Amino acid sequence: MATVELRFSASPEHVRTARLVAAAVARRAGVEESVLDELRLAVGEACSRAVGLHAAHALDTPVRVTLSEGEKAFSIEVGDDAPPPGGQRAEGPGDGEADQLGLAVIRGLVDDVQVTSDARGGLIRMSWPAKPPSLA
Amino acid sequence: MDLSLSTRSVGDRTVVEVGGEIDVYTAPKLREQLVELVNEGNHHLVVDMERVDFLDSTGLGVLVGGLKRVRAQEGSLRLVCNQERILKIFRITGLTKVFPIHATVDDAVSATD
């Protein structure tokens, strides 16, 4: 089960909120401080991309972010409701230059990343190693 | 934190001091500022990013757009940045090869290459 779920209307001004929430939950989950800047940037890129796709397809549904704390990893999923371009998600010819730059940044920052889709639309899955703080 | 922008002239260069966060929400303001400066005839720009806390690909896109505009006028766009977390974004996108990046505003203003 997701530790924290966030849905926000697909407007640029909410992307910062998503970044801040993701970084706060990741810190609590034991993601190393040195990685938090990269995590914040990657989540921001994924959310900006989703906001752009919703605008491009005139969708009024929210962008979905789930933040999940695992035993050894902290994972984030960012989901959009955009239809797959030409039957292929995310890297089809329908994507703009800005979108490609955003994906390039995510791939450069995150070792474990999947650009995929679910029943709703596109999905970017990212995870980072985490050591939950001991309770001792 | 929002984006802050201020400009000043140093010789024939125009220094744009940027502070705060450059992201999908604030990047349009930076784009407007750069377009306005170029349209007013300021073709040699120095963008001082020392007070930038956050930069994403939308911000990179705006800087690349600014570079295209000044180059069309045979101008230049130089960046000032010492922050590792910001420099990293330029490195992973290969843009360190596109932008001259300087350690200080003085270096950027006096650079002629």
Side-chain angles (χ1 to χ4, degrees):
Chain A
M1 194 187 115
T3 308
V4 173
E5 279 188 28
L6 182 68
R7 280 160 200 263
F8 63 91
S9 56
S11 303
E13 66 260 39
H14 298 313
V15 171
R16 178 172 189 261
T17 305
R19 286 200 304 268
L20 296 178
V21 170
V25 177
R27 177 179 284 124
R28 255 203 111 265
V31 175
E32 271 189 41
E33 285 292 321
S34 60
V35 183
L36 288 178
D37 271 339
E38 293 172 16
L39 180 144
R40 188 160 41 225
L41 180 56
V43 172
E45 294 292 352
C47 290
S48 302
R49 181 173 178 276
V51 166
L53 286 169
H54 278 221
H57 292 93
L59 299 168
D60 57 5
T61 51
V63 172
R64 292 159 281 129
V65 183
T66 62
L67 310 164
S68 308
E69 206 174 321
E71 265 184 41
K72 290 179 180 169
F74 177 74
S75 57
I76 300 181
E77 291 184 0
V78 177
D80 62 66
D81 290 353
Q88 283 217 323
R89 281 275 347 144
E91 288 178 299
D95 290 331
E97 269 176 46
D99 184 38
Q100 290 300 321
L101 188 56
L103 276 179
V105 170
I106 293 171
R107 291 212 166 93
L109 290 172
V110 189
D111 292 334
D112 182 13
V113 56
Q114 289 172 281
V115 181
T116 171
S117 60
D118 65 4
R120 305 280 302 272
L123 196 65
I124 295 185
R125 279 202 188 109
M126 306 171 275
S127 83
W128 291 265
K131 281 185 201 154
S134 84
L135 298 173
Chain B
M1 187 190 286
D2 214 342
L3 184 74
S4 69
L5 292 168
S6 67
T7 61
R8 64 180 194 276
S9 295
V10 182
D12 68 338
R13 310 286 164 102
T14 303
V15 179
V16 184
E17 194 179 292
V18 190
E21 302 190 340
I22 312 175
D23 73 354
V24 65
Y25 179 53
T26 61
K29 290 177 202 160
L30 178 60
R31 181 187 294 116
E32 273 170 34
Q33 174 77 85
L34 296 179
V35 168
E36 196 180 307
L37 286 170
V38 176
N39 287 348
E40 286 169 352
N42 305 286
H43 299 156
H44 292 281
L45 305 180
V46 172
V47 179
D48 178 3
M49 305 184 63
E50 277 305 277
R51 291 171 56 224
V52 170
D53 303 312
F54 182 87
L55 173 74
D56 74 1
S57 64
T58 327
L60 292 176
V62 168
L63 293 171
V64 171
L67 184 67
K68 266 172 74 176
R69 280 175 186 275
V70 293
R71 280 196 176 158
Q73 308 292 332
E74 296 184 3
S76 61
L77 191 155
R78 296 172 182 281
L79 303 178
V80 177
C81 183
N82 284 304
Q83 302 185 69
E84 184 48 40
R85 62 179 175 179
I86 304 288
L87 289 170
K88 181 171 186 172
I89 306 160
F90 285 95
R91 272 202 297 274
I92 61 174
T93 51
L95 289 173
T96 43
K97 293 178 194 125
V98 175
F99 291 102
I101 301 179
H102 300 271
T104 66
V105 171
D106 285 349
D107 283 357
V109 165
S110 58
T112 54
D113 55 285

